[in-house]
Short mmCIF file of all heavy atoms in Angstrom, two decimals:
data_model
loop_
_atom_site.label_atom_id
_atom_site.label_comp_id
_atom_site.label_asym_id
_atom_site.label_seq_id
_atom_site.Cartn_x
_atom_site.Cartn_y
_atom_site.Cartn_z
N ALA A 460 99.31 67.20 91.65
CA ALA A 460 100.40 67.76 90.77
C ALA A 460 101.73 67.52 91.22
O ALA A 460 102.71 67.27 90.43
CB ALA A 460 100.07 69.25 90.58
N LEU A 461 101.98 67.66 92.54
CA LEU A 461 103.35 67.52 93.09
C LEU A 461 103.78 66.05 92.97
O LEU A 461 104.94 65.69 93.12
CB LEU A 461 103.39 67.98 94.56
CG LEU A 461 103.46 69.47 94.72
CD1 LEU A 461 103.08 69.93 96.14
CD2 LEU A 461 104.84 70.08 94.36
N LYS A 462 102.78 65.12 92.90
CA LYS A 462 103.04 63.71 92.71
C LYS A 462 103.07 63.34 91.25
O LYS A 462 103.10 62.10 90.88
CB LYS A 462 101.94 62.89 93.49
CG LYS A 462 102.11 63.01 95.01
CD LYS A 462 101.09 62.16 95.62
CE LYS A 462 101.30 62.10 97.15
NZ LYS A 462 100.31 61.35 97.78
N GLY A 463 103.05 64.31 90.40
CA GLY A 463 103.22 63.95 88.93
C GLY A 463 101.89 63.92 88.19
O GLY A 463 101.98 63.40 87.03
N ASN A 464 100.77 64.24 88.82
CA ASN A 464 99.50 64.11 88.18
C ASN A 464 98.71 65.45 87.97
O ASN A 464 97.60 65.52 88.22
CB ASN A 464 98.61 63.08 88.89
CG ASN A 464 97.43 62.74 88.17
OD1 ASN A 464 97.29 62.92 86.89
ND2 ASN A 464 96.36 62.34 88.82
N GLY A 465 99.53 66.48 87.57
CA GLY A 465 98.98 67.78 87.40
C GLY A 465 98.37 67.95 85.94
O GLY A 465 98.88 67.30 85.03
N SER A 466 97.39 68.73 85.85
CA SER A 466 96.81 68.91 84.50
C SER A 466 97.84 69.72 83.65
O SER A 466 98.58 70.52 84.14
CB SER A 466 95.43 69.61 84.54
OG SER A 466 95.64 70.94 85.05
N LYS A 467 97.57 69.57 82.23
CA LYS A 467 98.55 70.17 81.44
C LYS A 467 98.59 71.71 81.48
O LYS A 467 99.71 72.33 81.51
CB LYS A 467 98.13 69.81 79.97
CG LYS A 467 99.31 69.64 79.03
CD LYS A 467 98.74 68.93 77.75
CE LYS A 467 99.57 69.20 76.63
NZ LYS A 467 99.10 68.61 75.41
N ASP A 468 97.44 72.29 81.55
CA ASP A 468 97.41 73.75 81.59
C ASP A 468 98.03 74.31 82.83
O ASP A 468 98.83 75.26 82.91
CB ASP A 468 95.99 74.29 81.50
CG ASP A 468 94.98 73.92 82.60
OD1 ASP A 468 95.28 72.89 83.24
OD2 ASP A 468 93.87 74.48 82.66
N LEU A 469 97.73 73.64 84.01
CA LEU A 469 98.27 74.05 85.27
C LEU A 469 99.79 73.98 85.30
O LEU A 469 100.58 74.88 85.70
CB LEU A 469 97.68 73.21 86.40
CG LEU A 469 98.22 73.37 87.84
CD1 LEU A 469 98.05 74.83 88.30
CD2 LEU A 469 97.53 72.44 88.80
N MET A 470 100.24 72.77 84.80
CA MET A 470 101.76 72.54 84.87
C MET A 470 102.51 73.49 84.01
O MET A 470 103.64 73.83 84.22
CB MET A 470 102.08 71.05 84.58
CG MET A 470 101.50 70.08 85.62
SD MET A 470 101.63 70.66 87.35
CE MET A 470 103.44 70.51 87.62
N LYS A 471 101.83 73.82 82.94
CA LYS A 471 102.52 74.78 81.92
C LYS A 471 102.76 76.12 82.60
O LYS A 471 103.85 76.66 82.50
CB LYS A 471 101.54 74.94 80.69
CG LYS A 471 102.35 75.62 79.56
CD LYS A 471 101.90 75.01 78.26
CE LYS A 471 102.72 75.77 77.33
NZ LYS A 471 103.19 75.49 76.12
N VAL A 472 101.86 76.63 83.41
CA VAL A 472 102.01 77.82 84.10
C VAL A 472 103.14 77.67 85.16
O VAL A 472 103.99 78.48 85.37
CB VAL A 472 100.72 78.38 84.79
CG1 VAL A 472 100.93 79.63 85.53
CG2 VAL A 472 99.71 78.64 83.64
#
Side-chain angles (χ1 to χ4, degrees):
L461 284 165
K462 289 182 171 175
N464 189 24
S466 67
K467 211 167 160 184
D468 61 340
L469 174 62
M470 296 318 290
K471 192 143 181 150
V472 179

